[in-house]
Amino acid sequence: MRAESQTKSPAIWVLPVPTPDGEFAAHYSNCGLCALDFPARKPPASGVKASGPPPGPDLHAWHQATVAAVAAVLQGRSPAQLPPLDLSRGTDFQRSVWKSLQAIPPGRTRSYGEIAGQLGRPKAVRAVGGACGANPIPVLIPCHRVLAANQRLGGFSGGLPWKQKLLSREGTPLPPPAAPRP
DNA sequence: TCAACCTGGTAGG
DNA sequence: CCTACCAGGTTGA
């Protein structure tokens, strides 16, 4: 046995994550959850998309944890447990940002500048925004809890409506109809 | 090398 | 309150 072609074929399994807000799609590598997609209007992956080598030890256990974790966040609560996260495809900077995001509890928010300063790069505010946008596992890695200065919403790759919905679920006071206006 | 980014702060109306 | 503009770190082509 030898590594046949693991260079370009990560072998990803995609499983559906049913929730009251739609069906998310969880992508797993042999190292854990590597991506989470928001509900699509027409999810092509309503099943398993296996291809190549065998999955991790317990793909089922991982997925069970994912489903429970996503459900918890959608209810504005902190997940009791997370599946192993495979963030290997991110840069060091991005991983450090994502790690900081995981430290933000539900109902609390930070600004891009706060995250940047926390990482020792107070000027890298824009880079932090970029890292948030590159977050492969939204919801579980709460990039939605990062607001712009002035408590404005800022942006969101997954769509601002989702950012608002997630924040309101955890009781975060959204900027009044006077300040916002992206 | 260059442009794009989920920003931030300042200046002016 | 709102637009305009510049400074700025990191990333991917």
Side-chain angles (χ1 to χ4, degrees):
Chain A
M1 50 292 249
R2 30 225 294 358
E4 29 254 34
S5 56
Q6 194 210 352
T7 52
K8 280 252 163 133
S9 298
I12 302 299
W13 282 261
V14 183
L15 300 177
V17 181
T19 79
D21 296 286
E23 187 179 277
F24 287 69
H27 300 234
Y28 298 91
S29 70
N30 52 330
C31 292
L33 179 65
C34 60
L36 183 65
D37 296 334
F38 280 101
R41 185 169 288 281
K42 183 180 168 63
S46 57
V48 185
K49 175 185 176 185
S51 58
D58 329 276
L59 178 59
H60 179 61
W62 291 354
H63 192 56
Q64 185 177 301
T66 298
V67 173
V70 171
V73 178
L74 289 178
Q75 291 172 48
R77 300 185 303 102
S78 190
Q81 186 184 334
L82 289 179
L85 306 182
D86 178 7
L87 303 176
S88 61
R89 61 176 202 172
T91 65
D92 280 340
F93 179 78
Q94 294 175 326
R95 274 181 297 218
S96 63
V97 170
W98 299 336
K99 185 178 179 181
S100 294
L101 300 187
Q102 294 182 67
I104 308 175
R108 296 294 304 282
T109 62
R110 300 296 284 280
S111 68
Y112 294 95
E114 281 271 32
I115 301 296
Q118 185 181 314
L119 297 177
R121 288 182 172 47
K123 307 284 189 170
V125 289
R126 219 163 172 180
V128 168
C132 288
N135 173 18
I137 311 177
V139 181
L140 298 192
I141 291 182
C143 53
H144 61 277
R145 291 177 194 143
V146 185
L147 305 181
N150 313 12
Q151 301 291 287
R152 290 161 73 93
L153 267 181
F156 198 66
S157 293
L160 284 174
W162 270 109
K163 190 170 186 176
Q164 289 188 14
K165 177 178 292 186
L166 291 168
L167 289 172
S168 64
R169 291 285 172 77
E170 37 196 75
T172 296
L174 294 173
R181 214 50 200 178

mmCIF file of all heavy atoms in Angstrom, chain A residues 1-36:
data_model
loop_
_atom_site.group_PDB
_atom_site.id
_atom_site.type_symbol
_atom_site.label_atom_id
_atom_site.label_comp_id
_atom_site.label_asym_id
_atom_site.label_seq_id
_atom_site.Cartn_x
_atom_site.Cartn_y
_atom_site.Cartn_z
ATOM 1 N N MET A 1 0.831 -1.224 0.000
ATOM 2 C CA MET A 1 0.000 0.000 0.000
ATOM 3 C C MET A 1 0.846 1.245 0.000
ATOM 4 O O MET A 1 1.859 1.327 0.620
ATOM 5 C CB MET A 1 -0.909 0.026 1.224
ATOM 6 C CG MET A 1 -0.183 -0.231 2.505
ATOM 7 S SD MET A 1 0.438 -1.886 2.693
ATOM 8 C CE MET A 1 -0.566 -2.519 3.976
ATOM 9 N N ARG A 2 0.447 2.181 -0.697
ATOM 10 C CA ARG A 2 1.207 3.433 -0.769
ATOM 11 C C ARG A 2 0.242 4.553 -1.100
ATOM 12 O O ARG A 2 -0.884 4.287 -1.503
ATOM 13 C CB ARG A 2 2.258 3.338 -1.855
ATOM 14 C CG ARG A 2 1.871 2.431 -2.980
ATOM 15 C CD ARG A 2 2.927 1.492 -3.435
ATOM 16 N NE ARG A 2 4.154 1.949 -4.069
ATOM 17 C CZ ARG A 2 4.524 3.148 -4.373
ATOM 18 N NH1 ARG A 2 3.779 4.149 -4.102
ATOM 19 N NH2 ARG A 2 5.655 3.366 -4.957
ATOM 20 N N ALA A 3 0.715 5.719 -0.916
ATOM 21 C CA ALA A 3 -0.153 6.855 -1.199
ATOM 22 C C ALA A 3 -0.349 6.957 -2.706
ATOM 23 O O ALA A 3 0.558 7.333 -3.426
ATOM 24 C CB ALA A 3 0.483 8.134 -0.673
ATOM 25 N N GLU A 4 -1.472 6.550 -3.176
ATOM 26 C CA GLU A 4 -1.704 6.601 -4.612
ATOM 27 C C GLU A 4 -1.794 8.030 -5.137
ATOM 28 O O GLU A 4 -0.860 8.529 -5.746
ATOM 29 C CB GLU A 4 -3.000 5.874 -4.965
ATOM 30 C CG GLU A 4 -4.013 5.904 -3.867
ATOM 31 C CD GLU A 4 -4.159 4.582 -3.142
ATOM 32 O OE1 GLU A 4 -3.195 3.857 -2.989
ATOM 33 O OE2 GLU A 4 -5.279 4.310 -2.699
ATOM 34 N N SER A 5 -2.856 8.680 -4.887
ATOM 35 C CA SER A 5 -2.958 10.049 -5.409
ATOM 36 C C SER A 5 -3.657 10.957 -4.414
ATOM 37 O O SER A 5 -4.771 11.376 -4.611
ATOM 38 C CB SER A 5 -3.734 10.049 -6.721
ATOM 39 O OG SER A 5 -4.988 9.450 -6.528
ATOM 40 N N GLN A 6 -2.962 11.196 -3.343
ATOM 41 C CA GLN A 6 -3.564 12.028 -2.299
ATOM 42 C C GLN A 6 -3.151 13.483 -2.505
ATOM 43 O O GLN A 6 -3.507 14.367 -1.741
ATOM 44 C CB GLN A 6 -3.083 11.558 -0.934
ATOM 45 C CG GLN A 6 -3.911 12.142 0.188
ATOM 46 C CD GLN A 6 -3.110 12.303 1.445
ATOM 47 O OE1 GLN A 6 -1.980 11.856 1.538
ATOM 48 N NE2 GLN A 6 -3.676 12.976 2.425
ATOM 49 N N THR A 7 -2.404 13.716 -3.551
ATOM 50 C CA THR A 7 -1.903 15.066 -3.790
ATOM 51 C C THR A 7 -3.012 16.047 -4.139
ATOM 52 O O THR A 7 -3.065 17.136 -3.618
ATOM 53 C CB THR A 7 -0.884 15.067 -4.936
ATOM 54 O OG1 THR A 7 -1.474 14.414 -6.061
ATOM 55 C CG2 THR A 7 0.368 14.318 -4.540
ATOM 56 N N LYS A 8 -3.908 15.607 -4.995
ATOM 57 C CA LYS A 8 -4.970 16.535 -5.399
ATOM 58 C C LYS A 8 -6.362 16.052 -5.046
ATOM 59 O O LYS A 8 -7.331 16.755 -5.220
ATOM 60 C CB LYS A 8 -4.894 16.757 -6.918
ATOM 61 C CG LYS A 8 -3.826 17.755 -7.310
ATOM 62 C CD LYS A 8 -4.443 19.049 -7.763
ATOM 63 C CE LYS A 8 -3.370 20.106 -7.744
ATOM 64 N NZ LYS A 8 -3.238 20.926 -8.825
ATOM 65 N N SER A 9 -6.460 14.822 -4.579
ATOM 66 C CA SER A 9 -7.764 14.292 -4.217
ATOM 67 C C SER A 9 -7.891 14.078 -2.722
ATOM 68 O O SER A 9 -7.586 13.011 -2.222
ATOM 69 C CB SER A 9 -7.983 12.963 -4.945
ATOM 70 O OG SER A 9 -7.962 13.179 -6.335
ATOM 71 N N PRO A 10 -8.341 15.112 -2.024
ATOM 72 C CA PRO A 10 -8.486 15.067 -0.571
ATOM 73 C C PRO A 10 -9.514 14.037 -0.137
ATOM 74 O O PRO A 10 -9.539 13.634 1.000
ATOM 75 C CB PRO A 10 -8.965 16.484 -0.215
ATOM 76 C CG PRO A 10 -8.502 17.311 -1.377
ATOM 77 C CD PRO A 10 -8.673 16.402 -2.567
ATOM 78 N N ALA A 11 -10.337 13.569 -1.058
ATOM 79 C CA ALA A 11 -11.403 12.637 -0.721
ATOM 80 C C ALA A 11 -12.323 13.273 0.305
ATOM 81 O O ALA A 11 -12.078 13.215 1.501
ATOM 82 C CB ALA A 11 -10.802 11.355 -0.164
ATOM 83 N N ILE A 12 -13.342 13.886 -0.165
ATOM 84 C CA ILE A 12 -14.276 14.596 0.699
ATOM 85 C C ILE A 12 -15.652 13.935 0.705
ATOM 86 O O ILE A 12 -16.150 13.506 -0.322
ATOM 87 C CB ILE A 12 -14.449 16.051 0.216
ATOM 88 C CG1 ILE A 12 -13.097 16.767 0.205
ATOM 89 C CG2 ILE A 12 -15.439 16.788 1.088
ATOM 90 C CD1 ILE A 12 -12.444 16.864 1.558
ATOM 91 N N TRP A 13 -16.196 13.863 1.893
ATOM 92 C CA TRP A 13 -17.542 13.310 2.032
ATOM 93 C C TRP A 13 -18.462 14.464 2.384
ATOM 94 O O TRP A 13 -18.149 15.267 3.270
ATOM 95 C CB TRP A 13 -17.601 12.276 3.154
ATOM 96 C CG TRP A 13 -17.025 10.967 2.732
ATOM 97 C CD1 TRP A 13 -17.713 9.855 2.308
ATOM 98 C CD2 TRP A 13 -15.639 10.626 2.655
ATOM 99 N NE1 TRP A 13 -16.823 8.859 1.980
ATOM 100 C CE2 TRP A 13 -15.559 9.296 2.169
ATOM 101 C CE3 TRP A 13 -14.457 11.318 2.932
ATOM 102 C CZ2 TRP A 13 -14.354 8.647 1.971
ATOM 103 C CZ3 TRP A 13 -13.246 10.668 2.731
ATOM 104 C CH2 TRP A 13 -13.200 9.349 2.250
ATOM 105 N N VAL A 14 -19.582 14.526 1.723
ATOM 106 C CA VAL A 14 -20.539 15.604 1.976
ATOM 107 C C VAL A 14 -21.836 15.018 2.518
ATOM 108 O O VAL A 14 -22.446 14.153 1.871
ATOM 109 C CB VAL A 14 -20.843 16.377 0.675
ATOM 110 C CG1 VAL A 14 -21.781 17.531 0.972
ATOM 111 C CG2 VAL A 14 -19.537 16.895 0.069
ATOM 112 N N LEU A 15 -22.190 15.469 3.718
ATOM 113 C CA LEU A 15 -23.419 14.970 4.334
ATOM 114 C C LEU A 15 -24.370 16.111 4.636
ATOM 115 O O LEU A 15 -23.942 17.213 4.971
ATOM 116 C CB LEU A 15 -23.087 14.241 5.641
ATOM 117 C CG LEU A 15 -22.159 13.021 5.545
ATOM 118 C CD1 LEU A 15 -21.887 12.480 6.942
ATOM 119 C CD2 LEU A 15 -22.785 11.961 4.665
ATOM 120 N N PRO A 16 -25.645 15.883 4.512
ATOM 121 C CA PRO A 16 -26.656 16.914 4.772
ATOM 122 C C PRO A 16 -26.848 17.163 6.265
ATOM 123 O O PRO A 16 -26.769 16.234 7.067
ATOM 124 C CB PRO A 16 -27.914 16.336 4.130
ATOM 125 C CG PRO A 16 -27.735 14.858 4.289
ATOM 126 C CD PRO A 16 -26.263 14.636 4.043
ATOM 127 N N VAL A 17 -27.063 18.417 6.605
ATOM 128 C CA VAL A 17 -27.292 18.794 8.002
ATOM 129 C C VAL A 17 -28.662 19.458 8.078
ATOM 130 O O VAL A 17 -28.783 20.669 7.897
ATOM 131 C CB VAL A 17 -26.221 19.793 8.502
ATOM 132 C CG1 VAL A 17 -26.456 20.149 9.966
ATOM 133 C CG2 VAL A 17 -24.828 19.201 8.325
ATOM 134 N N PRO A 18 -29.699 18.675 8.316
ATOM 135 C CA PRO A 18 -31.054 19.221 8.366
ATOM 136 C C PRO A 18 -31.279 20.102 9.592
ATOM 137 O O PRO A 18 -30.901 19.732 10.702
ATOM 138 C CB PRO A 18 -31.931 17.963 8.388
ATOM 139 C CG PRO A 18 -31.066 16.939 9.052
ATOM 140 C CD PRO A 18 -29.681 17.229 8.533
ATOM 141 N N THR A 19 -31.881 21.270 9.366
ATOM 142 C CA THR A 19 -32.198 22.177 10.472
ATOM 143 C C THR A 19 -33.500 22.889 10.116
ATOM 144 O O THR A 19 -33.935 22.832 8.957
ATOM 145 C CB THR A 19 -31.113 23.263 10.663
ATOM 146 O OG1 THR A 19 -31.309 24.284 9.687
ATOM 147 C CG2 THR A 19 -29.710 22.692 10.532
ATOM 148 N N PRO A 20 -34.122 23.524 11.093
ATOM 149 C CA PRO A 20 -35.369 24.252 10.830
ATOM 150 C C PRO A 20 -35.139 25.409 9.850
ATOM 151 O O PRO A 20 -36.080 25.947 9.283
ATOM 152 C CB PRO A 20 -35.760 24.782 12.214
ATOM 153 C CG PRO A 20 -35.110 23.822 13.160
ATOM 154 C CD PRO A 20 -33.796 23.492 12.504
ATOM 155 N N ASP A 21 -33.881 25.768 9.669
ATOM 156 C CA ASP A 21 -33.554 26.879 8.787
ATOM 157 C C ASP A 21 -33.050 26.415 7.430
ATOM 158 O O ASP A 21 -32.503 27.213 6.665
ATOM 159 C CB ASP A 21 -32.510 27.770 9.449
ATOM 160 C CG ASP A 21 -33.047 28.426 10.718
ATOM 161 O OD1 ASP A 21 -33.853 29.360 10.588
ATOM 162 O OD2 ASP A 21 -32.700 27.968 11.821
ATOM 163 N N GLY A 22 -33.198 25.144 7.151
ATOM 164 C CA GLY A 22 -32.726 24.638 5.872
ATOM 165 C C GLY A 22 -31.668 23.568 6.032
ATOM 166 O O GLY A 22 -31.240 23.277 7.144
ATOM 167 N N GLU A 23 -31.269 23.015 4.922
ATOM 168 C CA GLU A 23 -30.276 21.946 4.971
ATOM 169 C C GLU A 23 -28.860 22.427 4.662
ATOM 170 O O GLU A 23 -28.553 22.810 3.541
ATOM 171 C CB GLU A 23 -30.678 20.867 3.965
ATOM 172 C CG GLU A 23 -29.819 19.632 4.036
ATOM 173 C CD GLU A 23 -30.280 18.581 3.032
ATOM 174 O OE1 GLU A 23 -31.233 17.831 3.334
ATOM 175 O OE2 GLU A 23 -29.698 18.506 1.933
ATOM 176 N N PHE A 24 -28.008 22.394 5.670
ATOM 177 C CA PHE A 24 -26.617 22.785 5.481
ATOM 178 C C PHE A 24 -25.905 21.567 4.878
ATOM 179 O O PHE A 24 -26.465 20.470 4.867
ATOM 180 C CB PHE A 24 -25.962 23.119 6.819
ATOM 181 C CG PHE A 24 -26.415 24.420 7.427
ATOM 182 C CD1 PHE A 24 -27.710 24.565 7.924
ATOM 183 C CD2 PHE A 24 -25.541 25.512 7.513
ATOM 184 C CE1 PHE A 24 -28.118 25.766 8.489
ATOM 185 C CE2 PHE A 24 -25.949 26.716 8.084
ATOM 186 C CZ PHE A 24 -27.237 26.842 8.562
ATOM 187 N N ALA A 25 -24.688 21.777 4.396
ATOM 188 C CA ALA A 25 -23.919 20.659 3.850
ATOM 189 C C ALA A 25 -22.575 20.603 4.556
ATOM 190 O O ALA A 25 -21.818 21.569 4.534
ATOM 191 C CB ALA A 25 -23.728 20.847 2.353
ATOM 192 N N ALA A 26 -22.318 19.484 5.189
ATOM 193 C CA ALA A 26 -21.049 19.328 5.910
ATOM 194 C C ALA A 26 -20.054 18.534 5.062
ATOM 195 O O ALA A 26 -20.372 17.467 4.561
ATOM 196 C CB ALA A 26 -21.295 18.609 7.228
ATOM 197 N N HIS A 27 -18.857 19.105 4.896
ATOM 198 C CA HIS A 27 -17.822 18.432 4.110
ATOM 199 C C HIS A 27 -16.775 17.862 5.068
ATOM 200 O O HIS A 27 -16.233 18.589 5.901
ATOM 201 C CB HIS A 27 -17.143 19.434 3.167
ATOM 202 C CG HIS A 27 -18.085 20.063 2.192
ATOM 203 N ND1 HIS A 27 -17.875 20.048 0.828
ATOM 204 C CD2 HIS A 27 -19.262 20.736 2.380
ATOM 205 C CE1 HIS A 27 -18.864 20.678 0.201
ATOM 206 N NE2 HIS A 27 -19.703 21.116 1.125
ATOM 207 N N TYR A 28 -16.478 16.590 4.907
ATOM 208 C CA TYR A 28 -15.483 15.961 5.773
ATOM 209 C C TYR A 28 -14.290 15.423 4.998
ATOM 210 O O TYR A 28 -14.442 14.839 3.924
ATOM 211 C CB TYR A 28 -16.102 14.791 6.534
ATOM 212 C CG TYR A 28 -17.233 15.180 7.447
ATOM 213 C CD1 TYR A 28 -18.545 15.166 6.983
ATOM 214 C CD2 TYR A 28 -16.990 15.579 8.756
ATOM 215 C CE1 TYR A 28 -19.609 15.529 7.809
ATOM 216 C CE2 TYR A 28 -18.032 15.946 9.593
ATOM 217 C CZ TYR A 28 -19.343 15.924 9.118
ATOM 218 O OH TYR A 28 -20.371 16.287 9.937
ATOM 219 N N SER A 29 -13.134 15.635 5.576
ATOM 220 C CA SER A 29 -11.916 15.058 4.999
ATOM 221 C C SER A 29 -11.602 13.920 5.961
ATOM 222 O O SER A 29 -12.353 13.698 6.907
ATOM 223 C CB SER A 29 -10.781 16.074 5.010
ATOM 224 O OG SER A 29 -10.342 16.321 6.338
ATOM 225 N N ASN A 30 -10.497 13.260 5.765
ATOM 226 C CA ASN A 30 -10.161 12.178 6.690
ATOM 227 C C ASN A 30 -9.655 12.730 8.020
ATOM 228 O O ASN A 30 -9.316 11.974 8.917
ATOM 229 C CB ASN A 30 -9.111 11.260 6.056
ATOM 230 C CG ASN A 30 -7.930 12.053 5.559
ATOM 231 O OD1 ASN A 30 -8.072 13.208 5.180
ATOM 232 N ND2 ASN A 30 -6.770 11.457 5.559
ATOM 233 N N CYS A 31 -9.613 14.069 8.137
ATOM 234 C CA CYS A 31 -9.141 14.680 9.385
ATOM 235 C C CYS A 31 -10.254 15.357 10.165
ATOM 236 O O CYS A 31 -10.061 15.831 11.277
ATOM 237 C CB CYS A 31 -8.042 15.702 9.091
ATOM 238 S SG CYS A 31 -6.516 14.952 8.477
ATOM 239 N N GLY A 32 -11.414 15.436 9.586
ATOM 240 C CA GLY A 32 -12.525 16.065 10.286
ATOM 241 C C GLY A 32 -13.354 16.973 9.386
ATOM 242 O O GLY A 32 -13.211 16.943 8.159
ATOM 243 N N LEU A 33 -14.191 17.781 10.016
ATOM 244 C CA LEU A 33 -15.044 18.705 9.265
ATOM 245 C C LEU A 33 -14.150 19.765 8.617
ATOM 246 O O LEU A 33 -13.394 20.450 9.298
ATOM 247 C CB LEU A 33 -16.031 19.374 10.221
ATOM 248 C CG LEU A 33 -16.997 20.386 9.608
ATOM 249 C CD1 LEU A 33 -17.945 19.711 8.633
ATOM 250 C CD2 LEU A 33 -17.787 21.079 10.721
ATOM 251 N N CYS A 34 -14.229 19.882 7.316
ATOM 252 C CA CYS A 34 -13.365 20.843 6.636
ATOM 253 C C CYS A 34 -14.143 21.976 6.007
ATOM 254 O O CYS A 34 -13.560 22.984 5.586
ATOM 255 C CB CYS A 34 -12.499 20.150 5.599
ATOM 256 S SG CYS A 34 -13.408 19.307 4.299
ATOM 257 N N ALA A 35 -15.449 21.858 5.924
ATOM 258 C CA ALA A 35 -16.257 22.947 5.363
ATOM 259 C C ALA A 35 -17.726 22.753 5.692
ATOM 260 O O ALA A 35 -18.186 21.628 5.915
ATOM 261 C CB ALA A 35 -16.068 23.004 3.855
ATOM 262 N N LEU A 36 -18.417 23.883 5.778
ATOM 263 C CA LEU A 36 -19.854 23.842 6.054
ATOM 264 C C LEU A 36 -20.518 24.874 5.146
ATOM 265 O O LEU A 36 -20.146 26.051 5.163
ATOM 266 C CB LEU A 36 -20.108 24.194 7.526
ATOM 267 C CG LEU A 36 -21.565 24.119 7.980
ATOM 268 C CD1 LEU A 36 -22.070 22.683 7.897
ATOM 269 C CD2 LEU A 36 -21.705 24.629 9.415
#
